[in-house]
Coordinates of all heavy atoms in Angstrom, one line a residue:
M1 N 13.2 -5.3 -11.4 CA 13.5 -5.0 -10.0 C 12.2 -5.0 -9.3 O 11.2 -4.3 -9.7 CB 14.2 -3.7 -9.8 CG 14.3 -3.2 -8.5 SD 15.9 -2.7 -8.0 CE 16.1 -3.5 -6.5
T2 N 12.1 -5.7 -8.1 CA 10.9 -5.7 -7.3 C 10.8 -4.3 -6.5 O 11.8 -3.8 -6.0 CB 11.0 -6.8 -6.3 OG1 11.1 -8.0 -7.1 CG2 9.7 -6.9 -5.5
K3 N 9.7 -3.8 -6.5 CA 9.4 -2.5 -5.8 C 8.4 -2.7 -4.6 O 7.6 -3.6 -4.7 CB 8.8 -1.5 -6.7 CG 9.7 -1.1 -7.9 CD 10.9 -0.3 -7.4 CE 11.6 0.3 -8.6 NZ 12.4 1.5 -8.2
F4 N 8.6 -2.0 -3.6 CA 7.8 -2.1 -2.4 C 7.3 -0.7 -1.9 O 8.0 0.3 -2.1 CB 8.5 -2.8 -1.3 CG 9.0 -4.2 -1.6 CD1 10.3 -4.4 -2.1 CD2 8.2 -5.2 -1.3 CE1 10.7 -5.6 -2.4 CE2 8.6 -6.5 -1.6 CZ 9.9 -6.7 -2.2
L5 N 6.2 -0.8 -1.1 CA 5.8 0.4 -0.3 C 6.2 0.1 1.1 O 6.0 -1.0 1.6 CB 4.2 0.6 -0.4 CG 3.6 0.9 -1.7 CD1 2.1 1.1 -1.4 CD2 4.1 2.2 -2.2
K6 N 6.7 1.1 1.7 CA 7.1 1.0 3.2 C 6.2 2.0 3.9 O 6.4 3.2 3.8 CB 8.6 1.2 3.4 CG 8.9 1.1 4.8 CD 10.4 1.3 5.0 CE 10.8 1.2 6.5 NZ 12.3 1.4 6.7
I7 N 5.2 1.5 4.6 CA 4.3 2.4 5.3 C 4.8 2.6 6.7 O 4.8 1.7 7.5 CB 2.9 1.8 5.3 CG1 2.4 1.6 3.9 CG2 1.9 2.7 6.1 CD1 1.1 1.0 3.7
T8 N 5.3 3.8 7.0 CA 6.0 4.0 8.2 C 5.1 4.2 9.4 O 5.6 4.2 10.6 CB 6.9 5.2 8.1 OG1 6.2 6.4 7.7 CG2 8.0 5.0 7.0
N9 N 3.8 4.4 9.3 CA 2.9 4.5 10.4 C 2.1 3.3 10.6 O 1.0 3.3 11.2 CB 2.0 5.8 10.3 CG 1.1 5.7 9.1 OD1 1.4 5.2 8.1 ND2 -0.1 6.4 9.3
A10 N 2.6 2.1 10.2 CA 2.0 0.8 10.4 C 2.5 0.3 11.7 O 3.6 0.7 12.2 CB 2.4 -0.1 9.3
P11 N 1.8 -0.6 12.3 CA 2.2 -1.2 13.6 C 3.6 -1.8 13.6 O 4.3 -1.7 14.6 CB 1.1 -2.2 13.9 CG -0.1 -1.9 13.1 CD 0.5 -1.2 11.9
F12 N 3.9 -2.5 12.5 CA 5.2 -3.0 12.3 C 5.9 -2.2 11.2 O 5.7 -2.4 10.1 CB 5.2 -4.5 11.9 CG 4.4 -5.4 12.9 CD1 3.1 -5.8 12.7 CD2 5.1 -5.7 14.1 CE1 2.5 -6.5 13.6 CE2 4.4 -6.5 15.0 CZ 3.1 -6.9 14.8
T13 N 6.8 -1.3 11.6 CA 7.3 -0.3 10.7 C 8.2 -0.9 9.6 O 8.4 -0.2 8.6 CB 8.1 0.8 11.4 OG1 9.1 0.2 12.2 CG2 7.1 1.6 12.3
G14 N 8.7 -2.1 9.8 CA 9.6 -2.7 8.8 C 8.8 -3.4 7.7 O 9.5 -4.0 6.8
Q15 N 7.5 -3.5 7.8 CA 6.7 -4.3 6.9 C 6.7 -3.7 5.5 O 6.4 -2.5 5.4 CB 5.3 -4.5 7.4 CG 4.5 -5.6 6.6 CD 3.2 -5.9 7.4 OE1 2.9 -5.3 8.4 NE2 2.5 -6.8 6.8
L16 N 6.9 -4.4 4.4 CA 6.9 -3.9 3.1 C 5.7 -4.5 2.3 O 5.4 -5.7 2.6 CB 8.2 -4.3 2.4 CG 9.5 -3.7 3.0 CD1 10.7 -4.3 2.2 CD2 9.5 -2.2 3.0
I17 N 5.2 -3.8 1.4 CA 4.1 -4.2 0.6 C 4.5 -4.2 -0.9 O 5.0 -3.2 -1.4 CB 2.8 -3.3 0.7 CG1 2.3 -3.3 2.1 CG2 1.7 -3.7 -0.3 CD1 1.2 -2.3 2.4
S18 N 4.5 -5.4 -1.5 CA 4.9 -5.5 -2.9 C 4.1 -4.7 -3.9 O 2.9 -4.6 -3.8 CB 4.9 -7.0 -3.3 OG 5.4 -7.1 -4.7
C19 N 4.8 -4.0 -4.8 CA 4.1 -3.3 -5.9 C 4.1 -4.0 -7.2 O 3.6 -3.6 -8.2 CB 4.8 -1.9 -6.1 SG 4.7 -0.8 -4.7
N20 N 4.7 -5.2 -7.2 CA 4.8 -6.0 -8.4 C 3.7 -7.1 -8.5 O 3.3 -7.7 -7.4 CB 6.2 -6.7 -8.5 CG 7.3 -5.6 -8.6 OD1 7.8 -5.1 -7.6 ND2 7.6 -5.3 -9.8
G21 N 3.2 -7.3 -9.6 CA 2.1 -8.3 -9.8 C 0.8 -7.9 -9.3 O -0.1 -8.8 -9.1
I22 N 0.5 -6.6 -9.2 CA -0.8 -6.2 -8.7 C -1.8 -6.3 -9.8 O -1.6 -5.9 -10.9 CB -0.7 -4.7 -8.2 CG1 0.2 -4.6 -7.0 CG2 -2.1 -4.2 -7.9 CD1 0.4 -3.2 -6.5
K23 N -2.9 -6.9 -9.4 CA -4.1 -7.1 -10.3 C -5.1 -6.0 -10.1 O -5.7 -5.5 -11.0 CB -4.7 -8.5 -10.1 CG -5.8 -8.8 -11.0 CD -6.2 -10.3 -10.9 CE -6.5 -10.7 -9.5 NZ -7.1 -12.1 -9.4
A24 N -5.4 -5.7 -8.8 CA -6.4 -4.7 -8.4 C -6.1 -4.1 -7.0 O -5.6 -4.8 -6.2 CB -7.8 -5.3 -8.5
V25 N -6.5 -2.9 -6.9 CA -6.6 -2.2 -5.6 C -8.0 -1.8 -5.4 O -8.6 -1.2 -6.2 CB -5.6 -1.0 -5.5 CG1 -5.6 -0.3 -4.1 CG2 -4.2 -1.4 -5.9
A26 N -8.6 -2.1 -4.2 CA -10.0 -1.8 -4.0 C -10.3 -1.4 -2.6 O -9.6 -1.7 -1.6 CB -10.8 -3.1 -4.3
T27 N -11.4 -0.7 -2.4 CA -12.0 -0.4 -1.1 C -13.6 -0.5 -1.3 O -14.0 -0.2 -2.4 CB -11.6 1.0 -0.6 OG1 -12.0 1.1 0.7 CG2 -12.0 2.1 -1.4
A28 N -14.3 -0.8 -0.3 CA -15.7 -1.0 -0.4 C -16.5 0.3 -0.6 O -17.5 0.3 -1.2 CB -16.2 -1.8 0.7
S29 N -16.0 1.3 0.1 CA -16.7 2.6 0.0 C -15.7 3.7 0.4 O -14.6 3.5 0.8 CB -17.9 2.6 1.0 OG -17.4 2.7 2.4
A30 N -16.2 5.0 0.3 CA -15.3 6.1 0.5 C -15.0 6.3 2.0 O -14.1 7.0 2.4 CB -16.0 7.4 0.0
T31 N -15.7 5.5 2.9 CA -15.5 5.6 4.3 C -15.1 4.3 4.9 O -15.0 4.1 6.1 CB -16.7 6.1 5.0 OG1 -17.8 5.3 4.8 CG2 -17.0 7.6 4.6
A32 N -14.8 3.3 4.1 CA -14.4 2.0 4.6 C -13.1 2.0 5.4 O -12.3 2.9 5.2 CB -14.3 1.0 3.4
V33 N -12.9 1.0 6.2 CA -11.6 0.8 7.0 C -10.6 -0.1 6.3 O -9.5 -0.3 6.8 CB -11.9 0.4 8.4 CG1 -12.8 1.4 9.1 CG2 -12.6 -1.0 8.4
L34 N -11.0 -0.8 5.2 CA -10.2 -1.8 4.6 C -9.9 -1.4 3.1 O -10.8 -1.1 2.4 CB -10.9 -3.1 4.6 CG -10.2 -4.3 4.0 CD1 -8.9 -4.7 4.9 CD2 -11.1 -5.5 4.0
V35 N -8.6 -1.5 2.8 CA -8.2 -1.4 1.4 C -7.5 -2.7 1.1 O -6.6 -3.2 1.9 CB -7.2 -0.2 1.2 CG1 -6.7 -0.2 -0.2 CG2 -7.9 1.1 1.5
T36 N -7.8 -3.3 -0.1 CA -7.2 -4.6 -0.4 C -6.3 -4.4 -1.7 O -6.7 -3.6 -2.6 CB -8.2 -5.7 -0.7 OG1 -9.1 -5.3 -1.7 CG2 -8.9 -6.0 0.6
I37 N -5.2 -5.1 -1.8 CA -4.4 -5.2 -3.0 C -4.4 -6.6 -3.4 O -3.8 -7.5 -2.6 CB -3.0 -4.6 -2.7 CG1 -3.0 -3.2 -2.1 CG2 -2.1 -4.7 -3.9 CD1 -1.7 -2.7 -1.6
D38 N -4.9 -6.9 -4.5 CA -5.0 -8.3 -5.1 C -3.8 -8.5 -6.1 O -3.6 -7.6 -6.9 CB -6.3 -8.6 -5.8 CG -7.5 -8.5 -4.8 OD1 -7.3 -8.9 -3.6 OD2 -8.6 -8.0 -5.2
Y39 N -3.2 -9.6 -6.0 CA -2.1 -10.0 -6.9 C -2.4 -11.1 -7.8 O -3.3 -11.9 -7.6 CB -0.9 -10.4 -6.0 CG -0.4 -9.3 -5.1 CD1 -0.8 -9.1 -3.8 CD2 0.6 -8.3 -5.6 CE1 -0.4 -8.1 -3.0 CE2 1.0 -7.3 -4.8 CZ 0.5 -7.2 -3.5 OH 0.9 -6.2 -2.7
V40 N -1.7 -11.1 -8.9 CA -1.9 -12.1 -10.0 C -1.7 -13.5 -9.5 O -2.2 -14.5 -10.0 CB -1.1 -11.8 -11.3 CG1 -1.6 -10.6 -11.9 CG2 0.4 -11.8 -11.0
D41 N -0.9 -13.7 -8.4 CA -0.6 -15.0 -7.9 C -1.7 -15.5 -6.9 O -1.6 -16.6 -6.3 CB 0.7 -15.1 -7.2 CG 0.8 -14.3 -5.9 OD1 -0.2 -13.6 -5.5 OD2 1.9 -14.3 -5.3
G42 N -2.8 -14.7 -6.8 CA -3.9 -15.1 -5.9 C -3.9 -14.7 -4.5 O -4.8 -14.9 -3.7
T43 N -2.8 -14.0 -4.1 CA -2.7 -13.5 -2.7 C -3.3 -12.1 -2.6 O -3.5 -11.4 -3.6 CB -1.3 -13.4 -2.2 OG1 -0.5 -12.6 -3.1 CG2 -0.6 -14.8 -2.2
T44 N -3.6 -11.7 -1.4 CA -4.2 -10.4 -1.2 C -3.5 -9.7 0.0 O -3.4 -10.4 1.1 CB -5.7 -10.5 -0.9 OG1 -6.4 -11.0 -2.1 CG2 -6.3 -9.1 -0.6
T45 N -3.2 -8.5 -0.1 CA -2.7 -7.7 1.1 C -3.9 -6.8 1.5 O -4.5 -6.1 0.8 CB -1.5 -6.8 0.7 OG1 -0.4 -7.7 0.4 CG2 -1.1 -6.0 1.9
S46 N -4.2 -7.0 2.8 CA -5.3 -6.2 3.4 C -4.8 -5.2 4.4 O -4.0 -5.5 5.3 CB -6.3 -7.1 4.2 OG -6.8 -8.1 3.3
I47 N -5.1 -3.9 4.1 CA -4.6 -2.8 4.9 C -5.8 -2.2 5.7 O -6.8 -1.7 5.1 CB -4.0 -1.7 4.1 CG1 -2.8 -2.4 3.3 CG2 -3.5 -0.6 5.0 CD1 -2.4 -1.5 2.1
T48 N -5.8 -2.3 7.0 CA -6.9 -1.9 7.8 C -6.5 -0.6 8.5 O -5.4 -0.5 9.2 CB -7.3 -2.9 8.9 OG1 -7.6 -4.2 8.2 CG2 -8.6 -2.5 9.6
T49 N -7.3 0.5 8.4 CA -7.0 1.8 9.0 C -8.2 2.3 9.7 O -9.3 1.7 9.7 CB -6.6 2.8 7.9 OG1 -7.7 3.0 7.1 CG2 -5.4 2.3 7.1
A50 N -8.1 3.5 10.3 CA -9.3 4.2 10.7 C -10.1 4.5 9.5 O -9.6 4.5 8.4 CB -8.8 5.5 11.5
A51 N -11.4 4.9 9.7 CA -12.3 5.1 8.6 C -11.7 6.2 7.7 O -11.2 7.2 8.1 CB -13.7 5.6 9.1
Q52 N -11.8 5.9 6.4 CA -11.4 6.8 5.3 C -12.3 8.0 5.2 O -13.5 8.0 5.6 CB -11.3 6.1 4.0 CG -10.4 5.0 3.9 CD -10.4 4.3 2.5 OE1 -9.8 4.9 1.6 NE2 -11.0 3.2 2.4
V53 N -11.8 9.1 4.7 CA -12.6 10.3 4.3 C -12.4 10.5 2.8 O -11.3 10.7 2.3 CB -12.1 11.5 5.1 CG1 -12.9 12.7 4.6 CG2 -12.3 11.3 6.6
D54 N -13.5 10.3 2.0 CA -13.4 10.5 0.6 C -12.3 9.6 0.0 O -11.6 10.0 -0.9 CB -13.2 11.9 0.2 CG -14.3 12.8 0.5 OD1 -15.5 12.3 0.5 OD2 -14.1 14.0 0.8
S55 N -12.2 8.3 0.4 CA -11.3 7.3 -0.1 C -9.8 7.8 0.0 O -9.0 7.4 -0.8 CB -11.6 7.0 -1.5 OG -12.9 6.5 -1.6
D56 N -9.5 8.6 1.0 CA -8.1 9.1 1.1 C -7.0 8.1 1.2 O -6.0 8.2 0.6 CB -8.0 10.2 2.2 CG -8.4 9.7 3.6 OD1 -9.0 8.6 3.7 OD2 -8.1 10.4 4.5
V57 N -7.3 7.0 2.0 CA -6.3 6.0 2.1 C -6.1 5.2 0.8 O -5.0 5.0 0.3 CB -6.6 5.0 3.3 CG1 -5.7 3.8 3.3 CG2 -6.7 5.7 4.6
Y58 N -7.2 4.9 0.2 CA -7.2 4.2 -1.1 C -6.4 5.0 -2.2 O -5.5 4.5 -2.8 CB -8.6 3.9 -1.6 CG -8.7 3.5 -3.0 CD1 -8.5 2.2 -3.5 CD2 -9.1 4.5 -4.0 CE1 -8.5 1.9 -4.8 CE2 -9.2 4.1 -5.3 CZ -8.9 2.8 -5.7 OH -9.0 2.5 -7.1
L59 N -6.8 6.3 -2.3 CA -6.1 7.1 -3.3 C -4.6 7.3 -3.0 O -3.8 7.3 -3.9 CB -6.8 8.5 -3.4 CG -8.2 8.4 -3.9 CD1 -8.9 9.8 -3.7 CD2 -8.2 8.0 -5.4
D60 N -4.3 7.4 -1.7 CA -2.8 7.5 -1.4 C -2.1 6.3 -1.7 O -0.9 6.3 -2.2 CB -2.7 7.8 0.1 CG -1.5 8.6 0.5 OD1 -0.9 9.2 -0.4 OD2 -1.1 8.7 1.7
I61 N -2.7 5.1 -1.5 CA -2.0 3.9 -1.9 C -1.8 3.7 -3.4 O -0.7 3.4 -3.9 CB -2.8 2.7 -1.3 CG1 -2.6 2.6 0.2 CG2 -2.3 1.3 -1.9 CD1 -3.5 1.6 0.9
V62 N -2.9 4.0 -4.1 CA -2.8 3.9 -5.6 C -1.7 4.9 -6.1 O -0.9 4.5 -7.0 CB -4.2 4.2 -6.2 CG1 -4.1 4.4 -7.7 CG2 -5.2 3.1 -5.9
N63 N -1.7 6.1 -5.7 CA -0.8 7.1 -6.1 C 0.7 6.7 -5.7 O 1.6 6.9 -6.5 CB -1.1 8.5 -5.6 CG -2.4 9.0 -6.2 OD1 -2.8 8.7 -7.3 ND2 -3.1 9.9 -5.5
S64 N 0.8 6.2 -4.5 CA 2.1 5.8 -4.1 C 2.7 4.6 -4.8 O 3.9 4.5 -5.1 CB 2.1 5.5 -2.6 OG 1.8 6.7 -1.9
I65 N 1.8 3.7 -5.2 CA 2.2 2.5 -6.1 C 2.8 3.1 -7.4 O 3.8 2.6 -7.9 CB 1.1 1.5 -6.3 CG1 0.8 0.8 -5.0 CG2 1.4 0.6 -7.4 CD1 -0.5 0.0 -5.1
E66 N 2.1 4.0 -8.0 CA 2.5 4.6 -9.2 C 3.9 5.3 -9.1 O 4.8 5.1 -9.9 CB 1.5 5.6 -9.7 CG 1.9 6.3 -11.1 CD 0.9 7.3 -11.6 OE1 -0.1 7.5 -10.9 OE2 1.2 7.9 -12.6
I67 N 4.1 6.0 -8.0 CA 5.4 6.7 -7.7 C 6.5 5.6 -7.5 O 7.6 5.7 -8.1 CB 5.3 7.6 -6.5 CG1 4.4 8.8 -6.9 CG2 6.6 8.1 -6.1 CD1 3.9 9.6 -5.6
A68 N 6.2 4.6 -6.7 CA 7.2 3.6 -6.4 C 7.6 2.9 -7.7 O 8.8 2.7 -7.9 CB 6.6 2.6 -5.4
L69 N 6.7 2.6 -8.6 CA 7.1 1.9 -9.8 C 7.8 2.7 -10.8 O 8.5 2.2 -11.7 CB 5.8 1.3 -10.5 CG 5.2 0.1 -9.7 CD1 3.8 -0.3 -10.3 CD2 6.1 -1.1 -9.6
S70 N 7.7 4.0 -10.6 CA 8.4 4.9 -11.6 C 9.8 5.4 -11.1 O 10.5 6.1 -11.8 CB 7.5 6.2 -11.9 OG 7.4 7.0 -10.7
T71 N 10.2 5.0 -9.8 CA 11.5 5.4 -9.3 C 12.6 4.5 -9.9 O 12.3 3.4 -10.5 CB 11.5 5.2 -7.8 OG1 11.3 3.9 -7.4 CG2 10.5 6.2 -7.1
S72 N 13.8 5.0 -9.7 CA 15.0 4.3 -10.2 C 15.1 2.9 -9.6 O 14.7 2.7 -8.5 CB 16.2 5.1 -9.9 OG 17.4 4.4 -10.1
W73 N 15.8 2.0 -10.3 CA 16.1 0.7 -9.8 C 16.9 0.7 -8.5 O 16.9 -0.3 -7.8 CB 16.7 -0.2 -10.9 CG 18.1 0.3 -11.2 CD1 18.5 1.2 -12.2 CD2 19.3 -0.2 -10.6 NE1 19.9 1.3 -12.2 CE2 20.4 0.5 -11.2 CE3 19.6 -1.1 -9.6 CZ2 21.7 0.3 -10.8 CZ3 21.0 -1.2 -9.2 CH2 22.0 -0.5 -9.8
T74 N 17.6 1.8 -8.2 CA 18.4 1.9 -7.0 C 17.5 2.2 -5.8 O 18.0 2.3 -4.7 CB 19.4 3.0 -7.2 OG1 18.8 4.2 -7.5 CG2 20.4 2.6 -8.3
S75 N 16.2 2.4 -6.0 CA 15.3 2.7 -4.9 C 14.3 1.6 -4.8 O 13.2 1.7 -5.4 CB 14.6 4.0 -5.1 OG 15.5 5.1 -5.2
P76 N 14.5 0.5 -4.1 CA 13.6 -0.6 -4.1 C 12.3 -0.4 -3.3 O 11.4 -1.1 -3.6 CB 14.4 -1.7 -3.4 CG 15.4 -1.0 -2.6 CD 15.7 0.3 -3.3
Y77 N 12.3 0.6 -2.4 CA 11.0 0.8 -1.8 C 10.7 2.3 -1.7 O 11.6 3.2 -1.8 CB 10.9 0.2 -0.4 CG 11.9 0.8 0.6 CD1 11.6 1.9 1.4 CD2 13.1 0.2 0.8 CE1 12.5 2.4 2.3 CE2 14.0 0.7 1.8 CZ 13.7 1.8 2.5 OH 14.6 2.3 3.4
Y78 N 9.4 2.6 -1.6 CA 8.9 4.0 -1.5 C 8.3 4.2 -0.1 O 7.4 3.5 0.2 CB 7.9 4.3 -2.6 CG 7.3 5.7 -2.5 CD1 8.0 6.8 -2.9 CD2 6.0 5.9 -2.1 CE1 7.5 8.1 -2.8 CE2 5.5 7.1 -2.0 CZ 6.2 8.2 -2.3 OH 5.7 9.5 -2.2
E79 N 8.9 5.0 0.7 CA 8.4 5.3 2.0 C 7.3 6.2 2.0 O 7.3 7.3 1.4 CB 9.6 5.9 2.8 CG 9.6 5.4 4.3 CD 10.9 5.8 4.9 OE1 12.0 5.2 4.6 OE2 10.8 6.7 5.8
M80 N 6.2 5.8 2.8 CA 5.0 6.7 2.8 C 4.3 6.6 4.2 O 4.6 5.7 5.0 CB 4.0 6.3 1.7 CG 3.5 4.9 2.0 SD 2.2 4.3 0.8 CE 0.9 5.5 1.1
I81 N 3.5 7.6 4.5 CA 2.7 7.7 5.7 C 1.3 7.8 5.2 O 0.9 8.7 4.5 CB 3.1 8.9 6.6 CG1 4.5 8.8 7.0 CG2 2.1 9.0 7.7 CD1 5.0 10.0 7.8
L82 N 0.5 6.8 5.6 CA -1.0 6.9 5.3 C -1.7 8.0 6.1 O -1.3 8.3 7.2 CB -1.6 5.5 5.5 CG -1.2 4.5 4.5 CD1 -1.8 3.1 4.9 CD2 -1.7 4.8 3.1
P83 N -2.7 8.6 5.5 CA -3.4 9.7 6.2 C -4.2 9.3 7.4 O -4.7 10.1 8.1 CB -4.3 10.3 5.1 CG -4.5 9.2 4.1 CD -3.2 8.3 4.2
K84 N -4.4 8.0 7.6 CA -5.1 7.5 8.8 C -4.3 6.5 9.5 O -3.4 5.9 9.0 CB -6.4 6.8 8.3 CG -7.4 7.6 7.6 CD -8.0 8.7 8.5 CE -9.0 9.6 7.8 NZ -8.5 10.8 7.2
A85 N -4.5 6.3 10.8 CA -3.8 5.4 11.6 C -4.0 3.9 11.1 O -5.1 3.5 10.7 CB -4.3 5.4 13.0
V86 N -2.9 3.2 10.9 CA -2.9 1.8 10.4 C -3.1 0.9 11.6 O -2.3 0.9 12.5 CB -1.7 1.5 9.6 CG1 -1.7 0.1 9.1 CG2 -1.5 2.5 8.5
T87 N -4.1 0.0 11.5 CA -4.3 -1.0 12.5 C -3.6 -2.3 12.2 O -2.9 -2.9 13.0 CB -5.8 -1.4 12.6 OG1 -6.6 -0.2 12.8 CG2 -6.1 -2.3 13.7
S88 N -3.6 -2.7 10.9 CA -2.9 -3.9 10.5 C -2.7 -4.0 9.0 O -3.4 -3.4 8.2 CB -3.7 -5.2 11.0 OG -4.8 -5.3 10.2
I89 N -1.7 -4.7 8.6 CA -1.4 -5.1 7.3 C -1.1 -6.6 7.2 O -0.2 -7.1 7.9 CB -0.1 -4.3 6.7 CG1 -0.3 -2.8 6.8 CG2 0.2 -4.7 5.3 CD1 0.9 -2.0 6.5
V90 N -2.0 -7.3 6.5 CA -1.9 -8.7 6.4 C -1.8 -9.2 5.0 O -2.6 -8.7 4.1 CB -3.1 -9.4 7.1 CG1 -3.1 -10.9 7.0 CG2 -3.2 -8.9 8.6
N91 N -0.9 -10.1 4.6 CA -0.8 -10.7 3.3 C -1.2 -12.1 3.4 O -0.6 -12.9 4.2 CB 0.5 -10.5 2.7 CG 0.6 -10.9 1.2 OD1 0.1 -12.0 0.9 ND2 1.1 -10.1 0.4
A92 N -2.2 -12.6 2.6 CA -2.6 -13.9 2.7 C -3.0 -14.4 1.3 O -3.3 -13.7 0.4 CB -3.8 -14.1 3.6

């Protein structure tokens, strides 16, 4: 079953982020504004927020992916609110 993150404080509240096929989750620094999720198919989801504090957005995303993947098959998405304002979520 495919699992998703649903970030409710994103500009488009219905946008889902896939938790399947993730190869890496990264951020450039503890205060960066960008967190990337790289997939095995070569695509990347870029999440832009206000500046992080001690990698709080990165850690919240990583922990939420783990929670989402451990939920029952009857729960296809895990709803979450990131600790910083979300500017954009782009998958390319």
Side-chain angles (χ1 to χ4, degrees):
M1 164 131 232
T2 303
K3 297 289 188 155
F4 298 93
L5 293 181
K6 181 178 181 182
I7 300 175
T8 58
N9 62 330
F12 301 103
T13 56
Q15 190 171 4
L16 301 175
I17 298 172
S18 178
C19 294
N20 296 88
I22 293 175
K23 179 172 58 174
V25 180
T27 190
S29 71
T31 59
V33 298
L34 181 67
V35 175
T36 57
I37 302 172
D38 297 324
Y39 297 91
V40 295
D41 67 359
T43 61
T44 299
T45 296
S46 301
I47 304 163
T48 307
T49 65
Q52 299 180 75
V53 175
D54 293 331
S55 301
D56 57 349
V57 174
Y58 165 81
L59 293 171
D60 208 16
I61 290 171
V62 169
N63 292 334
S64 294
I65 290 168
E66 181 180 0
I67 293 168
L69 291 174
S70 67
T71 60
S72 166
W73 66 271
T74 58
S75 302
Y77 64 87
Y78 177 72
E79 215 169 288
M80 64 177 296
I81 297 173
L82 287 175
K84 300 292 182 265
V86 179
T87 307
S88 71
I89 299 173
V90 177
N91 188 310

